[in-house]
């Protein structure tokens, strides 16, 4: 096994871990009802990190089916997307936060451009299976044609640097949402997970960027931002907002999640919160000391393998040892039912019209029962089981997001017709 494959394997394993396959009641007709529903409705996932996965694994072939849970399989490919009844996905043009210098910003921009190029190439290479989409209408048309609609959303405003003109540049390249920040503060404002308040919300440039996004028709994504930044956006945006991948803080107290006041504000704003299927945003799990203890002797070797210091043979041994421990002491992980609890809570607080799904697959997402894109119908089954109507589920799986997207485009048209300057 090549070293590169070892990292991929390890990465997949950490993401996917041991337990797959959500055991469901035999004899019921939920699988058929879920499959029928997925055939009927437009389903959208607003956050898949496949572009970053592709960059890490240049040999990955998106049109081939990769066996879930296996080394380097990732959590998305075109066949599994079809299998999971997922019609549309926002591929994440993700840039991790680096130095806030001119060269840092230039590098971030180059990185984002590279991921955009990769995404467009993937679609161009697979014209029989997928098409790029820029509007809700295009997604509905592509879905009817039996293909997958691929959108692009940019995670982290860092590649914009200090230049407002970059917003239009990325819009022209097809980016349709921008997540204002990632894990640290940037030029646009404060992150939910930075230790210090720098801007107390949006920076002056961040305000200009929100105005420009409203003008152009880019969805303003408030996932990852500080609470102050969220409230600043809510106060000034002319169009509804999205949280591309965030869950409910009332059920899982994490800065990345949204408290009930924020959820109510999104309802009032007309926006949508896309529940994130990432374990630590879904449920705090009990510690697993036996697993930690068993893994301990392996840590040094894993680090050495990561640094490329082991031979392929040694790396294979470390991998085998890791698998053995993982089988004996599986990681504690939340389930698809736990994710449905977040949907229940949001429905109670906001109503059904403001909820969607943003998996974060290939970026840390994945729960027991919904561990890759092929398992999307398991969430639908759970919602059916809980009594959600087909129309509710249509809204959750994409109807709400598309309504918000259409509204954002409409507002943009009005702003441009009124000649309101963004500067
Ligand atoms: Zn994220």
């Amino acid at each position: 096994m090549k070293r590169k494959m070892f990292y991929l394997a390890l990465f997949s394993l950490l993401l996917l871990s041991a337990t797959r396959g959500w055991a469901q009641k035999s004899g019921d007709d939920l699988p058929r009802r879920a499959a029928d529903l997925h055939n009927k409705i437009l389903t959208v996932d607003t956050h898949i990190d496949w572009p970053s996965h592709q960059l890490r694994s240049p040999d990955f072939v998106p049109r081939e089916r990769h066996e879930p849970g296996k080394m380097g399989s990732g959590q998305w490919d075109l066949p599994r997307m079809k299998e999971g009844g997922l019609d549309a996905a926002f591929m994440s043009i993700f840039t991790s936060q680096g130095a806030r210098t001119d060269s840092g910003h230039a590098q971030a921009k180059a990185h984002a451009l590279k991921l955009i190029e990769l995404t467009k190439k993937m679609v161009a290479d697979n014209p029989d299976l997928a098409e790029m989409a820029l509007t809700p209408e295009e997604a509905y048309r592509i879905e009817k044609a039996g293909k997958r609609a691929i959108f692009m959303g940019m995670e982290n405003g860092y590649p914009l640097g200090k230049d407002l003109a970059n917003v239009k540049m990325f819009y022209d390249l097809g980016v349709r949402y921008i997540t204002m920040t990632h894990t640290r503060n940037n030029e646009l404002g404060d992150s939910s997970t930075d230790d210090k308040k720098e801007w107390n919300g949006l920076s002056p440039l961040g305000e200009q960027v929100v105005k420009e996004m409203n003008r152009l028709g880019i969805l303003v994504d408030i996932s990852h931002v500080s609470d102050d930044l969220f409230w600043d956006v809510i106060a000034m945006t002319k169009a509804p907002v999205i949280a591309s991948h965030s869950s409910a803080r009332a059920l899982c107290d994490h800065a990345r999640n949204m408290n009930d006041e924020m959820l109510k504000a999104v309802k009032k704003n007309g926006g949508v919160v896309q529940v994130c299927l990432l374990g630590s945003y879904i449920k705090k799990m009990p510690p697993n000391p036996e697993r930690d203890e068993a893994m301990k002797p392996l840590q040094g070797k894993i680090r050495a393998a990561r640094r490329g210091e082991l031979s392929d043979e040694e790396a294979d041994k470390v991998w085998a040892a890791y698998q053995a421990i993982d089988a004996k002491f599986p990681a504690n992980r939340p389930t698809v039912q736990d994710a449905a609890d977040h949907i229940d809570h949001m429905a109670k607080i906001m109503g059904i019209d403001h909820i969607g799904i943003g998996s974060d697959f290939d970026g840390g997402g994945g729960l027991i029962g919904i561990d890759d894109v092929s398992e999307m119908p398991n969430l639908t089954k759970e919602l059916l089981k809980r009594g959600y109507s087909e129309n509710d589920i249509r809204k959750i799986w994409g109807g709400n997001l598309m309504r918000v997207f259409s509204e954002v485009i409409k507002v943009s048209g009005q702003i441009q017709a009124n000649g309101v300057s963004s500067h």
Side-chain angles (χ1 to χ4, degrees):
M1 181 167 61
K2 292 195 181 70
R3 248 175 239 128
K4 190 179 72 194
M5 289 308 285
F6 175 80
Y7 308 133
L8 292 175
L10 191 64
F11 187 70
S12 302
L13 202 85
L14 290 171
L15 286 177
L16 302 174
S17 187
T19 323
R20 285 187 52 87
W22 170 51
Q24 60 125 7
K25 283 192 291 175
S26 56
D28 60 32
D29 66 346
L30 288 176
R32 184 192 53 77
R33 285 177 66 201
D36 285 354
L37 194 45
H38 276 257
N39 279 333
K40 265 201 292 205
I41 63 177
L42 179 80
T43 54
V44 186
D45 180 337
T46 44
H47 202 91
I48 296 187
D49 271 304
W50 161 78
S52 299
H53 178 72
Q54 185 70 56
L55 200 62
R56 285 190 300 265
S57 344
D59 299 337
F60 186 87
V61 181
R63 70 178 293 118
E64 285 177 4
R65 186 183 191 280
H66 301 75
E67 191 55 30
K70 281 230 174 121
M71 288 187 318
S73 283
Q75 290 167 295
W76 174 91
D77 56 43
L78 286 164
R80 277 184 289 164
M81 188 176 176
K82 186 172 184 184
E83 202 176 303
L86 184 68
D87 300 309
F90 280 76
M91 289 304 174
S92 177
I93 306 305
F94 162 64
T95 308
S96 59
Q97 186 62 46
R100 285 162 57 188
T101 57
D102 287 349
S103 73
H105 289 135
Q107 277 175 39
K109 187 171 167 178
H111 181 83
L113 292 172
K114 173 102 200 146
L115 294 186
I116 290 171
E117 191 188 303
L118 268 181
T119 305
K120 290 186 170 177
K121 183 178 184 302
M122 180 273 286
V123 173
D125 286 349
N126 299 285
D128 53 329
L129 302 178
E131 279 185 53
M132 293 301 301
L134 298 172
T135 64
E137 290 72 24
E138 288 178 0
Y140 284 107
R141 175 187 58 74
I142 294 165
E143 188 242 339
K144 283 208 173 61
K147 296 186 200 179
R148 311 296 116 193
I150 305 296
F151 289 101
M152 291 184 291
M154 191 161 122
E155 182 174 36
N156 200 357
Y158 174 47
L160 303 177
K162 294 181 177 175
D163 187 357
L164 188 62
N166 281 327
V167 181
K168 171 101 169 36
M169 197 243 359
F170 281 113
Y171 174 86
D172 288 340
L173 288 172
V175 167
R176 285 299 177 270
Y177 76 66
I178 298 176
T179 320
M180 303 297 285
T181 67
H182 190 241
T183 52
R184 317 298 287 177
N185 303 339
N186 64 23
E187 301 307 320
L188 310 185
D190 292 347
S191 159
S192 63
T193 47
D194 202 308
D195 342 306
K196 69 171 199 294
K197 286 190 178 196
E198 180 180 342
W199 305 102
N200 292 310
L202 275 173
S203 70
L205 176 67
E207 290 179 15
Q208 294 303 310
V209 167
V210 170
K211 281 186 195 166
E212 180 70 348
M213 288 165 77
N214 283 170
R215 186 181 76 85
L216 292 168
I218 302 180
L219 297 149
V220 181
D221 178 13
I222 49 76
S223 282
H224 279 290
V225 306
S226 71
D227 290 8
D228 290 339
L229 198 158
F230 167 83
W231 290 108
D232 282 352
V233 168
I234 288 294
M236 69 167 293
T237 183
K238 299 273 183 283
V241 299
I242 66 163
S244 68
H245 59 308
S246 293
S247 301
R249 214 178 280 176
L251 299 196
C252 183
D253 188 12
H254 193 297
R256 275 283 286 103
N257 287 339
M258 300 176 67
N259 68 32
D260 290 354
E261 292 316 303
M262 295 160 89
L263 295 178
K264 285 175 192 163
V266 171
K267 175 192 169 86
K268 202 172 160 206
N269 159 275
V272 60
V273 178
Q274 307 281 110
V275 172
C276 186
L277 308 177
L278 191 148
S280 51
Y281 306 160
I282 291 292
K283 193 177 185 180
K284 298 238 189 287
M285 300 304 287
N288 202 340
E290 285 172 311
R291 178 185 168 92
D292 296 346
E293 196 56 37
M295 287 288 182
K296 218 181 253 173
L298 220 52
Q299 297 305 331
K301 285 178 185 157
I302 290 173
R303 275 195 296 274
R306 203 171 276 157
R307 289 193 295 262
E309 294 166 5
L310 301 186
S311 68
D312 286 356
E313 200 184 325
E314 286 170 314
D316 279 348
K317 279 186 193 156
V318 176
W319 170 239
Y322 182 93
Q323 281 180 308
I325 296 167
D326 190 68
K328 196 169 173 194
F329 306 110
N332 291 330
R333 305 172 66 225
T335 65
V336 64
Q337 287 83 6
D338 295 323
D341 290 348
H342 283 255
I343 293 178
D344 285 351
H345 179 77
M346 289 184 185
K348 198 175 79 193
I349 301 296
M350 296 191 284
I352 207 74
D353 291 332
H354 306 278
I355 310 168
I357 312 291
S359 67
D360 217 347
F361 285 150
D362 284 337
L367 306 169
I368 291 176
I370 188 156
D371 239 352
D372 80 346
V373 73
S374 72
E375 294 194 315
M376 291 305 206
N378 285 345
L379 180 60
T380 311
K381 283 187 253 176
E382 183 63 24
L383 295 176
L384 286 167
K385 204 174 176 181
R386 293 184 185 206
Y388 285 83
S389 72
E390 295 202 347
N391 197 40
D392 291 343
I393 295 172
R394 181 189 61 76
K395 290 177 176 180
I396 292 169
W397 260 126
N400 291 334
L401 191 270
M402 288 302 164
R403 179 201 74 232
V404 170
F405 198 172
S406 296
E407 184 63 22
V408 164
I409 292 170
K410 193 175 126 195
V411 169
S412 147
Q414 287 164 352
I415 293 172
Q416 294 190 25
N418 293 338
V420 176
S421 165
S422 65
H423 300 262

